[in-house]
């Protein structure tokens, strides 16, 4: 298991291999290969877990600060 997110930061989570799940305090989704999810900043912290076939993720947290 692992996770991410944080105050004021949205996350783009792309599953590039395997399968598993992603959850926040508000709910969760299944992660399958070649799918992308946007986790809004308002969701706060999130966690992931892998199924038996493992899980490979690409995670980006865009910097949206002005200036």
């Amino acid at each position: 298991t692992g996770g991410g997110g944080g105050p004021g930061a949205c996350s783009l989570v792309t599953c590039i291999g395997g399968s598993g799940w992603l959850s926040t305090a508000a709910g969760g989704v299944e992660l399958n290969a070649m799918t992308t999810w946007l986790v809004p900043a308002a969701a706060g912290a999130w966690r992931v877990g892998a199924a038996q076939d493992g899980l490979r993720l690409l995670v980006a947290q865009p910097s949206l600060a002005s200036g």
Side-chain angles (χ1 to χ4, degrees):
T1 59
C10 66
S11 299
L12 294 165
V13 181
T14 300
C15 180
I16 57 175
S19 60
W21 51 266
L22 180 148
S23 66
T24 70
V29 294
E30 288 185 23
L31 297 172
N32 295 299
M34 306 316 291
T35 59
T36 299
W37 291 92
L38 170 63
V39 183
W46 50 268
R47 296 182 51 84
V48 294
Q52 290 182 348
D53 58 349
L55 184 63
R56 292 181 50 212
L57 299 177
L58 174 63
V59 178
Q61 287 187 308
S63 174
L64 304 176
S66 61

